[in-house]
Amino acid sequence: MAIEHAGKRVSLVLGAGGARGLAHIGVVEVLSERGYRLAGIAGSSMGALVGGIHAAGRLNLYREWACALERSSTLRLLDFSFGFPGLIRGDKLMGALRELVGDRPIEELAVPFTAVATDIRAQREVWLNRGSLFDAIRASIAIPMIFTPHRIDGRDLVDGGLLAPMPIAASRQVRSDLVIAVDVNSSPAPKPAALEAPPAAAEPSAESEGYRARITGFIESIADSFSDDEAPPKGPAPLGLIDLMSRSLDTMQGQIARMQLALDPPELLIRMPRDRCMFYEFWRASEMIALGRDSAEAALDEYEALNGGS
């Protein structure tokens, strides 16, 4: 029997991924254009930020704001911290988003929403579906060592992507016709053997390198004070701090996401390769949104063809 997709109630799962998570905006737009109705949203890290803002009815405002960001304006949103357990406190960023979106209790949002965080002391997953929207988002995006932890009800909460980069279980709190999950950390497509170098978009530009250097400069200056003046090791240059953290997170979250998808597969999975954007390149919003739209269109075309949707 043919399945008419228009009006289908969807539980949407938006995964972790830093700036790559801006692609979630494009996915949400395509689902809306095709007539899917969101029964609920569950998100980790950047997925929680995009999902929460959409549930609050302010995604268009956030889209315009994000697409207007440049490298310099992104840097001005980062309040570097000294003497705190994280590189960035996050107060300036969250203040800007609160001013743009407005804070509301999650219980009053138009779409049921759950932000997933990690209780770092108890080492367990936490589902935040009550209380301040921006408290929940701030906890879910608190990448360890990048953002300081966020305390809610006496718990020190950090990035939900540590334990649930694809929070499918949290999405099943609401009844829906299907679960659609969005993975922005998929493995890159295999490259032909003749290609030894990755595409230009996968490598940070000279300007990106300068931006990263400004972020890590004060940490590396401290580290230099404790280093021995020895000859540099032979072979490839060692990874910088931000690269090391980014690749470590990608490795961990990619493995956990594969396990989550295998144990509790959604009806539809929209994938995007992780090599299209570095996790801190928030000035590439337009590009990531376009990628999200293209990926969603392709996945939905295939799903609707297989299931008889018009």
Side-chain angles (χ1 to χ4, degrees):
M1 183 174 66
I3 298 176
E4 174 58 55
H5 76 269
K8 266 187 173 295
R9 287 171 52 82
V10 170
S11 291
L12 184 60
V13 181
L14 301 180
R20 293 186 290 269
L22 290 162
H24 293 317
I25 298 173
V27 174
V28 170
E29 290 176 347
V30 170
L31 288 173
S32 177
E33 291 165 5
R34 293 202 179 201
Y36 290 91
R37 294 185 297 121
L38 295 186
I41 303 172
S44 276
S45 199
M46 191 62 185
L49 190 150
V50 172
I53 291 176
H54 179 62
R58 297 291 190 270
L59 192 60
N60 287 339
L61 282 175
Y62 175 68
R63 186 193 204 279
E64 293 175 5
W65 180 83
C67 288
L69 283 179
E70 299 178 350
R71 289 176 175 84
S72 57
S73 54
T74 302
L75 185 61
R76 285 195 293 270
L77 289 169
L78 306 181
D79 44 358
F80 296 104
S81 63
F82 295 88
F84 289 86
L87 178 65
I88 299 164
R89 295 191 65 176
D91 294 343
K92 290 177 67 175
L93 172 61
M94 299 311 293
L97 291 176
R98 276 193 176 93
E99 183 177 351
L100 179 72
V101 175
D103 199 359
R104 295 169 57 189
I106 295 175
E107 306 95 289
E108 297 180 5
L109 300 179
V111 179
F113 170 69
T114 299
V116 177
T118 300
D119 185 330
I120 196 63
R121 296 183 186 276
Q123 299 181 353
R124 60 182 296 178
E125 186 177 332
V126 176
W127 296 356
L128 301 169
N129 50 25
R130 300 184 64 82
S132 163
L133 170 62
F134 274 96
D135 272 349
I137 290 173
R138 175 62 180 83
S140 189
I141 67 170
I143 302 172
M145 297 182 292
I146 297 290
F147 284 101
T148 59
H150 192 64
R151 178 160 289 192
I152 298 178
D153 297 332
R155 298 177 295 187
D156 290 321
L157 303 180
V158 297
D159 197 310
L162 264 66
L163 294 180
M166 293 293 295
I168 298 170
S171 76
R172 299 195 186 278
Q173 298 174 94
V174 297
R175 297 183 62 181
S176 63
D177 298 313
L178 71 157
V179 174
I180 297 179
V182 186
D183 180 9
V184 296
N185 291 310
S186 292
S187 299
K191 301 178 179 64
L195 294 179
E196 297 183 359
E203 289 296 327
S205 65
E207 291 180 77
S208 297
E209 291 287 351
Y211 174 85
R212 179 171 52 195
R214 293 175 69 183
I215 293 178
T216 62
F218 81 91
I219 291 180
E220 293 177 343
S221 67
I222 295 172
D224 288 342
S225 300
F226 294 91
S227 65
D228 295 324
D229 293 326
E230 297 179 354
K234 296 181 179 180
L239 292 172
L241 177 65
I242 295 297
D243 271 340
L244 178 60
M245 294 178 67
S246 175
R247 296 187 189 214
S248 297
L249 283 170
D250 286 347
T251 300
M252 178 190 69
Q253 292 180 350
Q255 179 65 19
I256 296 174
R258 284 190 290 272
M259 293 174 60
Q260 290 182 301
L261 291 167
L263 292 171
D264 190 10
E267 282 74 25
L268 174 61
L269 176 63
I270 300 173
R271 294 182 182 271
M272 279 160 265
R274 62 176 177 264
D275 64 347
R276 295 292 295 273
C277 178
M278 299 294 285
F279 85 94
Y280 56 83
E281 293 182 313
F282 286 94
W283 56 85
R284 297 175 63 183
S286 296
E287 180 184 344
M288 290 299 101
I289 293 169
L291 174 63
R293 291 188 61 89
D294 291 345
S295 301
E297 294 278 11
L300 288 167
D301 284 346
E302 182 177 356
Y303 171 80
E304 291 165 9
L306 290 173
N307 290 280
S310 59

